[in-house]
mmCIF file of all heavy atoms in Angstrom:
data_model
loop_
_atom_site.group_PDB
_atom_site.id
_atom_site.type_symbol
_atom_site.label_atom_id
_atom_site.label_comp_id
_atom_site.label_asym_id
_atom_site.label_seq_id
_atom_site.Cartn_x
_atom_site.Cartn_y
_atom_site.Cartn_z
ATOM 1 N N ASP S 20 107.764 97.335 191.780
ATOM 2 C CA ASP S 20 107.572 97.008 193.206
ATOM 3 C C ASP S 20 108.902 96.584 193.819
ATOM 4 O O ASP S 20 109.298 97.058 194.881
ATOM 5 C CB ASP S 20 106.551 95.881 193.385
ATOM 6 C CG ASP S 20 105.107 96.347 193.403
ATOM 7 O OD1 ASP S 20 104.855 97.560 193.569
ATOM 8 O OD2 ASP S 20 104.226 95.477 193.266
ATOM 9 N N ALA S 21 109.592 95.674 193.130
ATOM 10 C CA ALA S 21 110.871 95.170 193.636
ATOM 11 C C ALA S 21 111.958 96.236 193.599
ATOM 12 O O ALA S 21 112.694 96.435 194.575
ATOM 13 C CB ALA S 21 111.300 93.950 192.831
ATOM 14 N N LEU S 22 112.056 96.946 192.486
ATOM 15 C CA LEU S 22 113.101 97.963 192.337
ATOM 16 C C LEU S 22 112.935 99.093 193.350
ATOM 17 O O LEU S 22 113.875 99.456 194.063
ATOM 18 C CB LEU S 22 113.070 98.537 190.920
ATOM 19 C CG LEU S 22 114.043 99.693 190.646
ATOM 20 C CD1 LEU S 22 115.470 99.179 190.644
ATOM 21 C CD2 LEU S 22 113.709 100.369 189.334
ATOM 22 N N LEU S 23 111.742 99.654 193.439
ATOM 23 C CA LEU S 23 111.529 100.816 194.297
ATOM 24 C C LEU S 23 111.509 100.463 195.778
ATOM 25 O O LEU S 23 111.766 101.319 196.625
ATOM 26 C CB LEU S 23 110.255 101.541 193.872
ATOM 27 C CG LEU S 23 110.339 102.131 192.451
ATOM 28 C CD1 LEU S 23 108.990 102.644 192.001
ATOM 29 C CD2 LEU S 23 111.396 103.206 192.365
ATOM 30 N N ALA S 24 111.238 99.202 196.115
ATOM 31 C CA ALA S 24 111.318 98.773 197.515
ATOM 32 C C ALA S 24 112.744 98.929 198.039
ATOM 33 O O ALA S 24 112.947 99.153 199.237
ATOM 34 C CB ALA S 24 110.856 97.330 197.652
ATOM 35 N N GLU S 25 113.712 98.866 197.153
ATOM 36 C CA GLU S 25 115.117 99.010 197.549
ATOM 37 C C GLU S 25 115.413 100.405 198.112
ATOM 38 O O GLU S 25 116.354 100.564 198.896
ATOM 39 C CB GLU S 25 116.053 98.728 196.363
ATOM 40 C CG GLU S 25 116.031 97.295 195.902
ATOM 41 C CD GLU S 25 116.563 96.332 196.952
ATOM 42 O OE1 GLU S 25 117.565 96.655 197.622
ATOM 43 O OE2 GLU S 25 115.970 95.248 197.105
ATOM 44 N N ILE S 26 114.619 101.408 197.736
ATOM 45 C CA ILE S 26 114.832 102.757 198.284
ATOM 46 C C ILE S 26 113.736 103.130 199.285
ATOM 47 O O ILE S 26 113.584 104.281 199.652
ATOM 48 C CB ILE S 26 114.920 103.825 197.168
ATOM 49 C CG1 ILE S 26 113.626 103.898 196.356
ATOM 50 C CG2 ILE S 26 116.123 103.571 196.279
ATOM 51 C CD1 ILE S 26 113.530 105.110 195.463
ATOM 52 N N GLY S 27 112.949 102.133 199.675
ATOM 53 C CA GLY S 27 111.921 102.375 200.683
ATOM 54 C C GLY S 27 110.606 102.875 200.138
ATOM 55 O O GLY S 27 109.733 103.275 200.895
ATOM 56 N N ALA S 28 110.448 102.873 198.817
ATOM 57 C CA ALA S 28 109.191 103.324 198.225
ATOM 58 C C ALA S 28 108.154 102.216 198.304
ATOM 59 O O ALA S 28 108.486 101.034 198.319
ATOM 60 C CB ALA S 28 109.402 103.738 196.770
ATOM 61 N N LYS S 29 106.902 102.636 198.379
ATOM 62 C CA LYS S 29 105.802 101.680 198.377
ATOM 63 C C LYS S 29 104.686 102.220 197.500
ATOM 64 O O LYS S 29 104.685 103.399 197.138
ATOM 65 C CB LYS S 29 105.295 101.445 199.792
ATOM 66 C CG LYS S 29 104.731 102.696 200.435
ATOM 67 C CD LYS S 29 104.230 102.419 201.825
ATOM 68 C CE LYS S 29 103.658 103.710 202.393
ATOM 69 N NZ LYS S 29 103.063 103.527 203.679
ATOM 70 N N ARG S 30 103.738 101.360 197.172
ATOM 71 C CA ARG S 30 102.606 101.804 196.366
ATOM 72 C C ARG S 30 101.756 102.775 197.167
ATOM 73 O O ARG S 30 101.363 102.507 198.290
ATOM 74 C CB ARG S 30 101.730 100.625 195.971
ATOM 75 C CG ARG S 30 102.295 99.816 194.865
ATOM 76 C CD ARG S 30 101.229 98.899 194.337
ATOM 77 N NE ARG S 30 101.849 97.658 193.889
ATOM 78 C CZ ARG S 30 101.173 96.661 193.370
ATOM 79 N NH1 ARG S 30 99.862 96.738 193.241
ATOM 80 N NH2 ARG S 30 101.795 95.584 192.984
ATOM 81 N N LEU S 31 101.462 103.910 196.574
ATOM 82 C CA LEU S 31 100.579 104.888 197.186
ATOM 83 C C LEU S 31 99.146 104.676 196.705
ATOM 84 O O LEU S 31 98.209 104.871 197.453
ATOM 85 C CB LEU S 31 101.022 106.309 196.850
ATOM 86 C CG LEU S 31 102.424 106.690 197.320
ATOM 87 C CD1 LEU S 31 102.759 108.106 196.885
ATOM 88 C CD2 LEU S 31 102.549 106.542 198.819
ATOM 89 N N TRP S 32 98.978 104.308 195.455
ATOM 90 C CA TRP S 32 97.680 103.930 194.910
ATOM 91 C C TRP S 32 97.898 103.145 193.639
ATOM 92 O O TRP S 32 98.943 103.228 193.023
ATOM 93 C CB TRP S 32 96.743 105.102 194.682
ATOM 94 C CG TRP S 32 97.130 106.096 193.629
ATOM 95 C CD1 TRP S 32 97.748 107.291 193.834
ATOM 96 C CD2 TRP S 32 96.940 106.009 192.199
ATOM 97 N NE1 TRP S 32 97.947 107.937 192.642
ATOM 98 C CE2 TRP S 32 97.451 107.175 191.628
ATOM 99 C CE3 TRP S 32 96.369 105.054 191.370
ATOM 100 C CZ2 TRP S 32 97.439 107.413 190.259
ATOM 101 C CZ3 TRP S 32 96.345 105.290 189.999
ATOM 102 C CH2 TRP S 32 96.873 106.459 189.465
ATOM 103 N N ASP S 33 96.891 102.358 193.293
ATOM 104 C CA ASP S 33 96.935 101.681 192.011
ATOM 105 C C ASP S 33 95.518 101.480 191.490
ATOM 106 O O ASP S 33 94.555 101.476 192.250
ATOM 107 C CB ASP S 33 97.699 100.360 192.086
ATOM 108 C CG ASP S 33 97.124 99.384 193.062
ATOM 109 O OD1 ASP S 33 97.364 99.543 194.268
ATOM 110 O OD2 ASP S 33 96.434 98.454 192.615
ATOM 111 N N SER S 34 95.427 101.388 190.181
ATOM 112 C CA SER S 34 94.149 101.173 189.509
ATOM 113 C C SER S 34 94.430 100.316 188.290
ATOM 114 O O SER S 34 95.576 99.946 188.034
ATOM 115 C CB SER S 34 93.520 102.508 189.116
ATOM 116 O OG SER S 34 94.238 103.086 188.040
ATOM 117 N N ASP S 35 93.396 100.040 187.524
ATOM 118 C CA ASP S 35 93.598 99.245 186.315
ATOM 119 C C ASP S 35 94.361 100.018 185.239
ATOM 120 O O ASP S 35 94.851 99.440 184.290
ATOM 121 C CB ASP S 35 92.264 98.750 185.770
ATOM 122 C CG ASP S 35 91.302 99.878 185.418
ATOM 123 O OD1 ASP S 35 91.449 100.984 185.970
ATOM 124 O OD2 ASP S 35 90.404 99.635 184.594
ATOM 125 N N ARG S 36 94.510 101.341 185.415
ATOM 126 C CA ARG S 36 95.204 102.170 184.419
ATOM 127 C C ARG S 36 96.601 102.599 184.837
ATOM 128 O O ARG S 36 97.341 103.152 184.038
ATOM 129 C CB ARG S 36 94.367 103.410 184.119
ATOM 130 C CG ARG S 36 93.032 103.045 183.490
ATOM 131 C CD ARG S 36 92.250 104.248 183.089
ATOM 132 N NE ARG S 36 92.986 104.989 182.081
ATOM 133 C CZ ARG S 36 92.868 106.284 181.884
ATOM 134 N NH1 ARG S 36 92.057 106.994 182.630
ATOM 135 N NH2 ARG S 36 93.561 106.884 180.949
ATOM 136 N N GLY S 37 96.981 102.385 186.098
ATOM 137 C CA GLY S 37 98.306 102.831 186.513
ATOM 138 C C GLY S 37 98.554 102.635 187.992
ATOM 139 O O GLY S 37 97.659 102.245 188.744
ATOM 140 N N VAL S 38 99.779 102.902 188.378
ATOM 141 C CA VAL S 38 100.233 102.730 189.757
ATOM 142 C C VAL S 38 101.123 103.915 190.110
ATOM 143 O O VAL S 38 101.864 104.412 189.263
ATOM 144 C CB VAL S 38 101.033 101.416 189.929
ATOM 145 C CG1 VAL S 38 101.536 101.257 191.336
ATOM 146 C CG2 VAL S 38 100.186 100.216 189.525
#
Side-chain angles (χ1 to χ4, degrees):
D20 275 345
L22 176 70
L23 296 171
E25 293 295 319
I26 61 167
K29 62 179 181 176
R30 283 193 213 180
L31 299 178
W32 66 262
D33 59 281
S34 72
D35 59 337
R36 297 185 62 207
V38 178

